Amino acid sequence: MTPRVRVPETGYNFAYLDEATKRMIRRALLKAVAIPGYQVPFAAREMPMPYGWGTGGVQVTAAILGRNDVLKVIDQGSDDTTNAVSIRAFFARTAGVAVTTRTRDATVIQTRHRIPEAPLAEGQVLVYQVPIPEPLRFLEPRETETRQLHALAEYGPMHVKLYEDIARHGHIATTYAYPVEVAGRYVMDPSPTPKFDNPKMDDCPALQLFGAGREKRIYAVPPYTRVRSLDFEDHPFRVQHFDRPCALCGAGDVYLDEVLTDDAGGRMFVCSDTDHCEARREAGHRGEGA
Amino acid sequence: MYVAVKGGEAAIASAHRLLAEARRGDPAVPEIGVDQIAGQLALLVDRVMTEGSLHDRDLAALALKQARGDLIEAVFLVRAYRTTLPRFGASEPLDTGAMRLARRVSATYKDLPGGQVLGPTFDYTHRLIDFALAAEGASEPAAQAEPAPDAARAPRVTDLLGQDGLIEASPPDEGAPVGDLTREPLDFPAERDLRLQALARGDEGFVLALAYSTQRGYGRTHPFVGEIRVGEVEVEFVPEELGFAVPLGRLAVTECQTVNQFHGSAAEAPRFTRGYGLAFGHSERKAMAMALVDRALRADELGEAGGAPAQDQEFVLAHCDALQATGFVEHLKLPHYVDFQAELELVRRMRAEHAEATQEAAE
Amino acid sequence: MALARGFADPVHDAQGAFRAMLDALARPGLVQALPAALAPPAPLTSELAAIALALADADAPVWLDGPLAEAPEVEEFLRFHTGARLVADPAEAAFALVADPEACPDFSAFAQGSPAYPDRSTTLVLAVRHLAAGEGLAFEGPGIRGRVRLGVAPLPAGFAARWSANHALFPRGIDLLLAAPGRVAGLPRTARLLEA
């Protein structure tokens, strides 16, 4: 039996998971990168944080993390939201790894709902927390059915659903968790990132790994892989555009959070990616509200 | 604001301190002991063990104390602890026929070998609040125990029916490995071993409601409670190096076997079918509900018309786990402002287009 | 004879070997460092042993090619350190360890996965002598920036045709790990071999 290397502070194995569980997740990860966009079933364990709060991402991170990794954790683009703080603290405590808020300094970035604004680099791994990995789930609730649809690459119903939106609203009404086609084969859920982030997944130099704990699925997009957002010739995919720059750093090409400043309709728009915003301000950029 | 631009770390630390304080309650009142919980809130402890999939009374009691009595939170603590435990192997099948009985009732026979043993049950109590219990130190007179039946002379009701071929045979033990949904992701259609495991771990309230729905016409199975038995069974294990079974100790369990709607065809004489429920400790409601839902989930196998929620294994198995359910429902309180922003932007744009179109139409 | 040791540091050595393999399969054709300081019984190489110890266990059966299967010490070493079942049928294996790539059975003898579960396929680990980036066979596909060249020797006989047939099965198919002394490269089923 493999001896446990105990992290003295916690009494648990390095990065919490036992070695047999890590091997199981690692085997799933290797198949996930070999079949881009395909959801590999894995025996997700019960974690000390609730389902729906990042247990899949946490298990993937725990399985890949080494003692020389530098970990960044974001939620809604920010390093300082409560859940990001909690997960970062979990790994600092159970694995003793270095943590950072700087995107460029991180080797592993665990995220919920955003892809950082700063371009990712080769050698980095982006780990997504995924609530519902099945892009076809809301068209067909049954796993037995959706599995067949993927096996047959039968993605007609998904296109029909998107087109119904156009007929009804004049727009594709999906604004986040916008489905993508990976390497010309599997349709994949990018997790509930705003579709603003979808283009960053395409031809990305970093490895992208996705973990869904409650639904027990792992999937991956290798670096430099084609990731195409589903669209139509007469309604090409478009990202949201903000008609003003960040009030703090003046960035114009980023995703913004709307912050209500009073109860009289006052609001300001600031970068959702807090590290990106801080780095810009350190470099001397100023927005109108700064 | 709980998500400040900075300060999440300090906020979490304060919340933890507040929680510890709230858990302790009034310091003038003596702190509750884990042994008191284990001894006096025993049925709650049984439920935490059952849904937590871990038989450890003290740990379940401690989890309840730490969770301030929140049942699902306590199950959560036990499950997260269980996940880190090494696995040595699977025990031999429990022989519930040889149970040391504390309670045993049958609804199908007025009297039967071994007799009916009521044991400690709420069944025939009047649900009147007993204010005497609020007075400390009040002690009941010692109970006159019913004579415990001799297990050897209290065979399972389903075994009695089986002797005459009146009920389908229990599936033979072919020595095939038993599935474990905590080690292999559930795959559909799931076999009965995995379904039973999911139901045993499932939320009692959810399983109960599903069982109830089968009684109201959503997948009727015409159940009779063949038998409920509560008591201790021996657990045996075959260590690889010995090659024979050695006893590890005794577990308290509740088993329910239902006798259901009969089946037959031109080729096969009619006979009753079974539903099965098993839970740790004294967990009668859970075991009964589980047996009803187990039987309902066999609709496909028995060639019955399906379509009711309790017969739909993807629906039942994917939603019966309290931890999965509570996690995903409660995750809605995590920030979602990035996605909400995306929706806001779209609705604003569509409203602007709508206003433009209305104006154009008016001009 | 004393049994050869396993990982000196089971947790971190396994993690290091896994990350090398993950990078190898995520970046097909690039050569990754695989530090493996094991001294397993011949003909099991240190790298094959490291990969097996990092990933094989009771839930992941292993198939051994002729030269490995004929060495009882190899079986003993793997059984003791991994607890994995050693299977005679290559179609049952999660991992196949191949000491003699030239004599490797046809890829179709291994598990290919099914259309619904393409992940249920064998990963073949070949012990090679030569492994160098920037020369030899040219590949395109996910994980590859433009195209990549990988020089490998020895390879299974008739490799080009066999690999193209495997690629054509996508999403089914086997995946390859190529392990030379201190190095590893990967060829997942997605890697498309270009005409010479």
Side-chain angles (χ1 to χ4, degrees):
Chain A
M1 191 162 283
T2 314
R4 285 190 155 197
V5 175
R6 289 190 182 272
V7 178
E9 197 200 340
T10 65
Y12 288 104
N13 192 26
F14 176 81
Y16 181 77
L17 295 176
D18 59 284
E19 291 301 302
T21 297
K22 287 184 194 168
R23 277 194 298 274
M24 177 271 296
I25 297 171
R26 288 168 179 169
R27 291 192 294 262
L29 283 167
L30 293 185
K31 288 301 172 192
V33 296
I35 317 166
Y38 165 75
Q39 303 163 52
V40 181
F42 84 113
R45 301 295 196 244
E46 322 236 46
M47 298 299 287
M49 56 279 288
Y51 284 115
W53 301 53
T55 56
V58 165
Q59 289 180 75
V60 169
T61 298
I64 65 172
L65 211 58
R67 55 187 157 191
N68 298 323
D69 276 311
V70 179
L71 178 68
K72 170 181 165 83
V73 183
I74 53 173
D75 186 344
Q76 313 293 302
S78 163
D79 298 273
D80 205 44
T81 41
T82 44
N83 202 42
V85 169
S86 160
I87 290 172
R88 190 166 58 240
F90 175 74
F91 282 115
R93 181 153 169 238
T94 59
V97 293
V99 294
T100 185
T101 59
R102 292 193 178 274
T103 300
R104 64 170 181 275
D105 294 344
T107 56
V108 176
I109 303 171
Q110 182 169 327
T111 181
R112 175 168 175 265
H113 292 196
R114 277 307 313 273
I115 299 174
E117 303 290 2
L120 299 177
E122 286 190 7
Q124 289 185 310
V125 183
L126 184 59
V127 178
Y128 295 75
Q129 302 172 199
V130 183
I132 305 273
E134 178 50 72
L136 308 173
R137 183 58 70 234
F138 298 107
L139 306 172
E140 170 51 66
R142 273 163 215 289
E143 170 67 17
T144 35
E145 296 292 325
T146 52
R147 183 163 289 282
Q148 277 312 308
L149 294 175
H150 284 294
L152 301 168
E154 175 52 66
Y155 297 123
M158 178 59 97
H159 284 93
V160 170
K161 190 252 171 200
L162 294 175
Y163 211 87
E164 278 172 359
D165 284 353
I166 296 172
R168 193 173 312 145
H169 307 292
H171 294 275
I172 293 177
T174 304
T175 57
Y176 58 90
Y178 189 100
V180 294
E181 179 200 78
V182 180
R185 176 57 174 79
Y186 284 98
V187 166
M188 182 187 96
D189 181 285
S191 88
T193 47
K195 68 177 180 178
F196 178 90
D197 285 336
N198 276 23
K200 297 177 190 163
M201 306 178 82
D202 182 34
D203 205 34
C204 176
L207 171 61
Q208 302 173 74
L209 304 176
F210 300 77
R214 190 176 39 79
E215 300 279 341
K216 300 180 167 53
R217 296 290 184 274
I218 280 173
Y219 52 102
V221 176
Y224 304 114
T225 296
R226 180 88 175 100
V227 178
R228 187 181 70 82
S229 300
L230 300 186
D231 65 355
F232 303 93
E233 268 180 27
D234 52 343
H235 277 87
F237 174 80
R238 275 203 206 96
V239 299
Q240 300 106 304
H241 177 72
F242 292 87
D243 53 10
R244 72 200 87 193
C246 169
L248 297 178
C249 78
D253 51 354
V254 298
Y255 197 81
L256 300 176
D257 284 340
E258 184 170 336
V259 180
L260 302 184
T261 51
D262 55 39
D263 57 2
R267 49 173 61 96
M268 66 193 273
F269 287 81
V270 299
C271 282
S272 139
D273 183 336
T274 48
D275 169 63
H276 185 70
C277 197
E278 274 165 33
R280 281 180 52 85
R281 279 180 282 151
E282 275 167 25
H285 297 281
R286 286 287 176 276
E288 286 174 0
Chain B
M1 246 166 60
Y2 84 100
V3 180
V5 174
K6 279 279 170 194
E9 209 138 350
I12 288 181
S14 306
H16 290 174
R17 280 195 301 276
L18 285 170
L19 175 65
E21 204 178 295
R23 170 165 56 233
R24 178 58 184 88
D26 183 354
V29 175
E31 187 168 346
I32 192 168
V34 168
D35 53 345
Q36 290 174 306
I37 297 172
Q40 297 173 46
L41 297 176
L43 299 183
L44 190 55
V45 170
D46 288 343
R47 184 161 168 190
V48 171
M49 292 196 303
T50 298
E51 293 180 28
S53 283
L54 186 69
H55 192 284
D56 186 330
R57 293 200 76 79
D58 293 337
L59 195 77
L62 177 58
L64 276 164
K65 175 174 175 174
Q66 186 180 334
R68 305 179 63 199
D70 184 307
L71 177 86
I72 292 179
E73 190 63 34
V75 170
F76 191 172
L77 288 166
V78 168
R79 292 255 197 106
Y81 179 78
R82 174 191 190 275
T83 208
T84 68
L85 298 177
R87 173 163 305 236
F88 299 113
S91 75
E92 292 295 288
L94 299 181
D95 181 5
T96 53
M99 184 183 283
R100 191 185 289 172
L101 294 167
R103 169 165 164 79
R104 189 259 194 137
V105 291
S106 169
T108 50
Y109 294 102
K110 185 175 181 192
D111 198 8
L112 66 170
Q116 309 250 16
V117 182
L118 281 185
T121 176
F122 293 115
D123 283 353
Y124 305 102
T125 62
H126 294 140
R127 269 61 168 203
L128 302 171
I129 296 272
D130 182 357
F131 293 98
L133 282 177
E136 288 178 54
S139 64
E140 299 264 321
Q144 200 72 31
E146 295 168 86
D150 179 355
R153 289 192 300 109
R156 288 174 293 214
V157 167
T158 44
D159 293 346
L160 297 172
L161 279 168
Q163 286 168 0
D164 300 331
L166 284 170
I167 193 166
E168 59 177 342
S170 192
D173 180 9
E174 286 158 343
V178 179
D180 181 350
L181 59 83
T182 70
R183 315 299 288 186
E184 286 284 332
L186 202 54
D187 198 3
F188 297 108
E191 293 298 319
R192 195 167 172 206
D193 53 348
L194 288 166
R195 301 199 306 251
L196 287 169
Q197 183 189 15
L199 291 174
R201 290 160 56 89
D203 182 71
E204 184 172 304
F206 180 81
V207 179
L208 176 67
L210 281 172
Y212 175 47
S213 73
T214 67
Q215 292 180 285
R216 294 192 63 263
Y218 291 87
R220 291 185 77 189
T221 64
H222 305 273
F224 297 93
V225 170
E227 184 175 14
I228 291 167
R229 49 173 64 205
V230 184
E232 290 191 339
V233 289
E234 189 136 85
V235 182
E236 292 187 323
F237 181 70
V238 181
E240 213 47 57
E241 60 269 33
L242 289 183
F244 56 84
V246 292
L248 295 182
R250 303 181 75 85
L251 290 182
V253 295
T254 303
E255 181 186 63
C256 173
Q257 295 217 57
T258 55
V259 176
N260 295 74
Q261 179 162 297
F262 55 84
H263 265 263
S265 62
E268 220 180 331
R271 55 185 173 187
F272 292 110
T273 57
R274 301 169 183 246
Y276 187 80
L278 186 76
F280 283 143
H282 192 167
S283 305
E284 216 161 294
R285 184 186 303 119
K286 176 61 180 284
M288 292 178 71
M290 179 176 165
L292 293 193
V293 178
D294 166 51
R295 177 58 184 79
L297 286 173
R298 298 178 60 207
D300 264 356
E301 170 203 341
L302 295 168
E304 294 166 342
Q311 295 170 322
D312 183 336
Q313 62 159 283
E314 288 210 32
F315 179 79
V316 174
L317 302 186
H319 301 114
C320 67
D321 190 272
L323 285 201
Q324 292 176 9
T326 203
F328 202 46
V329 168
E330 290 197 57
H331 108 286
L332 292 173
K333 63 193 167 190
L334 288 180
H336 281 78
Y337 41 75
V338 162
D339 293 345
F340 184 64
Q341 189 66 51
E343 298 268 277
L344 255 185
E345 194 270 341
L346 177 67
V347 171
R348 278 191 185 129
R349 186 146 44 94
M350 284 169 27
R351 286 174 61 85
E353 286 169 10
H354 182 265
E356 235 169 74
T358 324
Q359 196 168 359
E360 270 169 30
E363 277 166 11
Chain C
M1 199 184 89
L3 189 72
R5 288 182 44 166
F7 283 135
D9 182 340
V11 169
H12 298 289
D13 290 355
Q15 189 272 341
F18 163 70
R19 277 290 275 277
M21 288 184 269
L22 180 66
D23 287 341
L25 284 167
R27 302 294 310 272
L30 297 192
V31 177
Q32 312 290 337
L34 176 63
L38 296 168
L44 191 64
T45 68
S46 177
E47 291 71 27
L48 255 53
I51 289 171
L53 265 54
L55 291 178
D57 60 26
D59 297 324
V62 173
W63 178 87
L64 302 177
D65 79 342
L68 291 171
E70 284 157 22
E73 319 81 64
V74 168
E75 277 203 16
E76 196 186 349
F77 174 86
L78 290 172
R79 274 192 218 279
F80 179 81
H81 288 296
T82 69
R85 203 155 48 88
L86 300 178
V87 293
D89 179 358
E92 285 179 26
F95 295 94
L97 302 184
V98 179
D100 179 7
E102 279 163 298
C104 181
D106 199 84
F107 295 152
S108 62
F110 298 93
Q112 313 282 306
S114 65
Y117 296 94
D119 55 304
R120 296 179 182 173
S121 71
T122 308
T123 302
L124 274 64
V125 190
L126 310 189
V128 298
R129 285 188 301 277
H130 175 77
L131 191 61
E135 54 164 71
L137 302 169
F139 295 93
E140 283 181 357
I144 300 170
R145 188 178 196 181
R147 70 178 51 176
V148 72
R149 283 187 177 278
L150 182 66
V152 195
L155 274 173
F159 178 77
R162 287 166 68 175
W163 185 253
S164 296
N166 183 62
H167 173 76
L169 286 174
F170 187 85
R172 299 166 64 233
I174 57 110
D175 307 302
L176 284 183
L177 284 168
L178 309 159
R183 304 189 298 288
V184 66
L187 288 177
R189 63 197 83 179
T190 48
R192 186 163 65 88
L193 178 60
L194 303 176
E195 302 280 322

